Amino acid sequence: MLTVSVKWQKQVFPGIEIDTSQPPIVFKSQLYTLTGVPPERQKIMVKGGILKDDADWSTLAVKDGQKLMMIGTADEIVKAPEKGPVFVEDLPEEEQAVALGHSAGLYNLGNTCYMNSTLQCLHSVPELKSALLSYSDTARGNGIDQASHSLTLATRNTFGELDQSVRPVAPLQFLQTLRKKYPQFAQQHNNVYMQQDAEECWTQLVYTLCQTLTSDASESAALSMKQLFGIDLVSRVHCAESGEESTETESVYSLKCHISHDVNHLHEGLKHGLKTELEKVSPALGRTAIYTRESRINELPRYLTVQFVRFFWKRESNQKAKILRKVDYPLELDVYEFCSDELKQKLQAPRQMLRDAENAKFGLKTQGKASSSKENEGSSSAGDSSSMDIDKADPSVPKKQLTGVYDLVAVLTHKGRSADSGHYVGWVKQDDGKWIEFDDDNPNIRKEEDILKLSGGGDWHMAYICLYKARVAESKS
């Protein structure tokens, strides 16, 4: 650690600590908090010229107690739409964030776009934010380790900063705890932190939250994590050669869209992902044999995560390669055909209620009373499944039942040829229907057609992870 003072205009800021193990962009983020000058506008004089975002502190000869000079113009104060004489700067910062219309961006702290895009997409899930709010600083039940506990707190705190700030947030606490819990994200090459895989970051973070939010201290949040993201699969494993057959069950937190030369759409890729071949020892044959594994969804979540399997290990070059093939994905995804017969039966009544409700919006004819009562009868039996009823606590509140239909709410994209390089961005749908592209600290409003152009086939950003939100049917019984 070094301690320096910084002169900016007529002001001097003493006693600023520099963590020399972090890139200078982190130091610039500290100065942004003090001065309001965005990092990209800061010109800090050091030996040899102007301080660069990714410079190596050890080569700059900055000494403890040194006074640095900074030149730069602070951000202009954002004004709200005029309603009388009230301006955004007159509001508390929380209200300024609301007036902005979307949450803040995240500074790139040195090849951390993989982390920023993951955080922005998961931050779009209000139920996850609620679960995190119920997690206290002292919640350490159920044998949770300190690193997992710290990462959960850092996630909670970062989400809070995003909601309350009108300026970009520097997620330094989250980054440090992520690297402590999962050292793979602290890998360096030539003393520079390496780019990492956003899907691995997403998976590790969700796994950690599933562990910590199931602690005794937050039991109510524990159930929601399984309901929010958990997918139960039932699989038939069959060997054509020996005739052996067995059934397996597992819980996962994403569906895989496998990409091959005959996959042009997400549905086709999901079919490939749910039917695979594996080689294992056959007890009947006494040797290895080929088995076919066909999986079906037996329990659905409130938010369905789909990963496009775009990266594979290329042996000849000994690195990850990327499949650039265009694979279209829908704004509305219906997974009914991928469900088990048991789940399909449970979904029928809620699906009919959903169709009737949507037809009524357009003045179209709905099914009659006799049919509706039959559906309610079916939906009450469906309510016995934890995968079907989302809200159970208050019997006076209509039950929200899953239908197997989902709407796209977030897309995490990758631009580049390798998972170890390139750039990740999060695209998030807002409550008012507009989309925001979160390119690190630079949020931009986008149109729906821009989202559909992220399907691949070139060097532009292409979908790597899609997050879908369940469309539900409401039942009064």
Side-chain angles (χ1 to χ4, degrees):
M1 283 281 191
L2 293 174
T3 301
V4 300
S5 61
V6 176
K7 186 177 187 301
W8 173 64
Q9 296 180 353
K10 296 181 180 180
Q11 300 180 68
V12 176
F13 300 91
I16 301 175
E17 289 189 341
I18 299 177
D19 184 350
T20 54
S21 68
Q22 299 292 331
I25 184 65
V26 176
F27 174 56
K28 289 186 174 184
S29 299
Q30 293 172 260
L31 295 179
Y32 178 39
T33 304
L34 294 170
T35 66
V37 180
E40 65 272 14
R41 290 193 210 150
Q42 294 177 18
K43 292 184 179 179
I44 302 168
M45 308 305 166
V46 294
K47 186 177 180 180
I50 296 172
L51 180 65
K52 295 182 179 179
D53 293 351
D54 58 354
D56 183 350
W57 285 109
S58 64
T59 66
L60 298 178
V62 176
K63 298 178 181 178
D64 197 50
Q66 185 173 340
K67 180 184 285 188
L68 301 177
M69 174 81 71
M70 185 182 83
I71 300 171
T73 308
D75 267 338
E76 292 182 13
I77 298 173
V78 181
K79 294 183 178 181
E82 289 190 15
K83 289 185 178 180
V86 180
F87 296 97
V88 168
E89 65 267 27
D90 298 322
L91 299 172
E93 191 162 272
E94 292 83 354
E95 293 184 37
Q96 291 185 43
V98 172
L100 198 61
H102 57 77
S103 58
L106 290 164
Y107 278 122
N108 191 315
L109 302 179
N111 284 332
T112 58
C113 58
Y114 70 91
M115 179 189 77
N116 290 350
S117 53
T118 295
L119 284 171
Q120 292 288 10
C121 289
L122 290 175
H123 175 255
S124 70
V125 179
E127 297 91 337
L128 177 57
K129 288 195 278 188
S130 297
L132 284 164
L133 284 173
S134 73
Y135 189 80
S136 71
D137 291 12
T138 57
R140 280 286 304 281
N142 226 16
I144 300 302
D145 62 279
Q146 180 62 47
S148 297
H149 174 64
S150 298
L151 184 56
T152 303
L153 291 178
T155 307
R156 184 198 68 186
N157 296 341
T158 302
F159 281 8
E161 287 183 76
L162 287 173
D163 285 330
Q164 295 172 17
S165 178
V166 292
R167 294 174 175 172
V169 172
L172 185 56
Q173 179 201 14
F174 181 89
L175 179 60
Q176 290 172 335
T177 55
L178 177 70
R179 287 173 173 166
K180 189 170 183 179
K181 171 65 179 173
Y182 298 107
Q184 70 190 80
F185 299 112
Q187 291 176 321
Q188 296 185 39
H189 180 67
N190 294 332
N191 293 320
V192 175
Y193 285 106
M194 296 170 59
Q195 175 72 286
Q196 298 293 334
D197 190 325
E199 187 273 332
E200 291 178 7
C201 180
W202 182 303
T203 299
Q204 299 286 35
L205 180 55
V206 168
Y207 173 78
T208 300
L209 296 178
C210 287
Q211 298 298 307
T212 56
L213 295 180
T214 56
S215 67
D216 297 335
S218 54
E219 190 174 345
S220 60
L223 296 174
S224 70
M225 281 307 294
K226 178 67 168 67
Q227 290 177 335
L228 281 180
F229 301 108
I231 307 163
D232 282 357
L233 297 178
V234 57
S235 304
R236 171 180 172 264
V237 182
H238 174 72
C239 178
E241 189 178 358
S242 67
E244 295 166 280
E245 186 171 310
S246 61
T247 300
E248 299 176 356
T249 59
E250 65 175 327
S251 293
V252 297
Y253 284 85
S254 67
L255 294 180
K256 308 295 184 185
C257 174
H258 284 261
I259 303 173
S260 61
H261 68 278
D262 58 345
V263 171
N264 299 301
H265 194 275
L266 176 60
H267 270 87
E268 297 165 338
L270 290 176
K271 283 182 182 178
H272 279 255
L274 291 171
K275 185 174 181 180
T276 57
E277 285 190 348
L278 62 151
E279 187 176 338
K280 65 176 186 175
V281 175
S282 164
L285 300 174
R287 56 175 171 80
T288 59
I290 301 297
Y291 287 75
T292 301
R293 181 189 180 97
E294 295 184 70
S295 301
R296 287 290 177 265
I297 301 169
N298 210 37
E299 188 169 325
L300 286 167
R302 183 71 187 269
Y303 289 85
L304 184 67
T305 305
V306 177
Q307 181 212 346
F308 292 80
V309 186
R310 288 199 171 273
F311 296 107
F312 66 97
W313 191 257
K314 207 169 185 178
R315 290 181 182 176
E316 53 267 32
S317 59
N318 201 33
Q319 64 181 11
K320 277 185 180 178
K322 184 177 180 182
I323 302 171
L324 302 176
R325 183 180 179 82
K326 181 180 179 181
V327 179
D328 290 320
Y329 55 89
L331 295 172
E332 175 189 309
L333 176 64
D334 190 345
V335 296
Y336 182 80
E337 66 175 286
F338 305 124
C339 296
S340 65
D341 291 340
E342 179 186 357
L343 182 54
K344 283 181 178 178
Q345 185 66 33
K346 294 173 182 176
L347 290 172
Q348 284 177 7
R351 287 170 71 84
Q352 186 58 56
M353 286 190 289
L354 180 64
R355 281 193 290 268
D356 286 349
E358 293 180 347
N359 285 341
K361 285 181 184 178
F362 297 100
L364 301 175
K365 186 178 179 181
T366 61
Q367 291 203 357
K369 290 183 180 179
S371 177
S372 294
S373 63
K374 190 174 181 181
E375 287 162 10
N376 284 336
E377 188 179 319
S379 66
S380 64
S381 65
D384 294 336
S385 168
S386 62
S387 70
M388 300 300 299
D389 286 349
I390 295 172
D391 302 314
K392 295 182 178 182
D394 187 348
S396 66
V397 177
K399 291 179 180 177
K400 294 179 180 179
Q401 296 182 310
L402 297 176
T403 61
V405 179
Y406 288 81
D407 295 300
L408 186 67
V409 292
V411 182
L412 190 154
T413 61
H414 179 264
K415 182 181 180 182
R417 298 272 170 167
S418 166
D420 299 325
S421 61
H423 186 53
Y424 291 100
V425 167
W427 312 66
V428 178
K429 189 176 184 180
Q430 308 300 294
D431 291 338
D432 60 3
K434 71 182 178 184
W435 283 84
I436 302 295
E437 173 196 6
F438 287 101
D439 187 353
D440 288 330
D441 60 316
N442 185 31
N444 297 291
I445 297 175
R446 296 299 183 204
K447 297 178 181 178
E448 201 168 74
E449 55 259 37
D450 295 327
I451 307 306
L452 293 175
K453 292 176 183 176
L454 304 172
S455 53
D459 286 333
W460 182 235
H461 281 281
M462 59 189 72
Y464 186 29
I465 299 175
C466 283
L467 185 65
Y468 286 89
K469 180 179 181 178
R471 194 181 298 178
V472 297
E474 292 193 359
S475 169
K476 294 180 181 179
S477 60

